[in-house]
C-alpha cells in the first residue's frame, strides 16, 4: 500500500505541498527527545528512516509508557508470514498510542491519523503530534521536547477615564452619524388611507 502513486494533477500538487511541510530540524529534535526516553534511534536520518522507525508503533508505545507508566500496551512484534496480520497489529499499536496520547492531554486537533504515519501520507502531521506530546510532557514535569507553553496571558487593563481615550466618543463611518437631520419619523411610501 505504501507504494501507490501519489496521483496526477491537483492530487500530485497537494501531495508535494504536504511533503514540503516536513521539517528536518524538527525530525532531529523529535528523534533526540524520543531516543533519550526509550534508548532507541533510527539507523539513518531522513524522512524514510523516521517513518520506518516509528511505523510499527513499538517505539511510540514505549515513549508513552516512559511518560505515563502502563498507558500503552503494544502488541508484540509479529514474526509470522501473513503481511495482513502484521499490518493490522502495527496499525493497532499506532491506535493505542494515539488513544494514550489523547488521555495524556494531547488535543485532538494536534494528533495525526494512523495512515499519516503508517503509509507516510503526512509525516509533517506526525511531527506536529509528537511536538505537542512533548509540550504536554513539559507541562506535566516530565522531560519534554520544547519550552513550557504559557498558560496565562495576564494583561494590565486600566479603566478608561474621560479624555484619556482619544476618539472614544467618535462613531465610525460605517455606523453612520449622529449629527445632522435623520430619517426618523419619515414615511417612504404611500400612506394607508382609511375612508368611512
Amino acid at each position: 500500500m505504501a507504494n501507490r502513486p501519489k496521483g496526477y494533477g491537483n492530487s500530485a500538487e497537494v501531495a508535494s505541498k504536504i511533503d514540503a511541510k516536513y521539517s528536518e530540524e524538527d525530525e532531529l529534535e523529535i528523534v533526540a527527545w524520543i531516543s533519550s526516553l526509550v534508548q532507541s534511534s533510527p539507523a539513518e536520518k531522513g524522512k524514510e528512516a523516521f517513518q520506518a522507525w516509528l511505523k510499527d508503533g513499538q517505539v511510540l508505545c514505549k515513549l508513552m509508557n516512559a511518560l505515563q507508566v502502563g498507558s500503552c500496551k503494544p502488541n508484540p512484534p509479529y514474526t509470522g508470514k501473513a503481511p495482513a496480520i502484521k499490518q493490522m497489529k502495527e496499525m493497532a499499536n499506532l491506535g493505542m498510542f494515539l488513544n494514550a496520547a489523547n488521555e495524556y492531554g494531547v488535543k485532538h486537533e494536534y494528533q495525526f491519523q494512523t495512515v499519516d504515519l503508517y503509509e507516510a501520507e503526512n509525516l509533517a502531521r506526525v511531527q506536529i503530534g509528537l511536538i505537542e506530546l512533548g509540550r504536554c510532557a513539559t507541562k506535566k514535569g516530565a522531560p519534554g521536547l520544547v519550552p513550557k507553553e504559557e498558560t496565562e496571558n495576564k494583561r494590565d487593563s486600566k479603566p478608561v477615564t474621560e479624555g484619556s481615550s482619544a476618539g472614544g466618543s467618535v462613531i465610525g463611518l460605517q455606523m453612520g452619524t449622529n449629527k445632522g437631520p435623520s430619517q426618523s419619523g419619515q414615511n417612504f411610501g404611500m400612506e394607508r388611507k382609511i375612508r368611512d
Side-chain angles (χ1 to χ4, degrees):
M1 288 187 135
N3 295 328
R4 68 179 163 183
K6 292 286 185 182
Y8 298 97
N10 195 30
S11 300
E13 185 178 333
V14 169
S16 68
K17 285 182 181 180
I18 290 172
D19 285 343
K21 291 181 181 180
Y22 184 83
S23 170
E24 293 178 5
E25 293 93 25
D26 287 347
E27 175 193 333
L28 295 175
E29 289 179 20
I30 291 167
V31 167
W33 175 60
I34 294 174
S35 298
S36 71
L37 293 172
V38 300
Q39 284 69 42
S40 171
S41 60
E44 299 175 10
K45 293 179 184 177
K47 194 184 300 188
E48 292 81 17
F50 180 74
Q51 188 250 350
W53 181 50
L54 299 175
K55 180 179 179 179
D56 65 355
Q58 295 291 328
V59 172
L60 293 175
C61 285
K62 287 179 186 175
L63 172 65
M64 277 311 304
N65 287 329
L67 295 175
Q68 188 173 17
V69 178
S71 62
C72 187
K73 296 172 182 69
N75 293 312
Y78 181 72
T79 57
K81 295 183 179 179
I85 295 174
K86 179 181 179 187
Q87 179 182 7
M88 181 184 67
K89 289 187 177 276
E90 291 174 349
M91 291 180 90
N93 287 345
L94 294 176
M96 284 187 272
F97 164 76
L98 291 171
N99 289 336
N102 188 29
E103 291 174 12
Y104 191 70
V106 177
K107 294 179 182 172
H108 181 70
E109 59 263 17
Y110 294 112
Q111 289 192 356
F112 57 91
Q113 294 181 357
T114 304
V115 72
D116 291 338
L117 176 58
Y118 197 81
E119 294 185 7
E121 289 289 322
N122 192 348
L123 291 176
R125 189 82 183 146
V126 174
Q127 288 180 327
I128 290 169
L130 292 174
I131 288 171
E132 187 61 26
L133 178 63
R135 250 188 219 132
C136 287
T138 303
K139 272 188 194 175
K140 295 184 181 224
L145 184 60
V146 292
K148 189 174 182 179
E149 185 178 340
E150 292 294 325
T151 57
E152 185 177 355
N153 186 4
K154 199 164 195 167
R155 297 183 183 212
D156 183 27
S157 60
K158 298 177 184 172
V160 178
T161 59
E162 191 173 327
S164 66
S165 167
S169 61
V170 175
I171 297 175
L173 290 177
Q174 289 182 340
M175 293 182 214
T177 180
N178 60 356
K179 297 184 172 53
S182 70
Q183 296 177 351
S184 64
Q186 293 184 11
N187 189 354
F188 293 100
M190 294 292 294
E191 289 184 14
R192 187 171 171 199
K193 297 181 182 180
I194 302 175
R195 297 186 184 191
D196 290 332

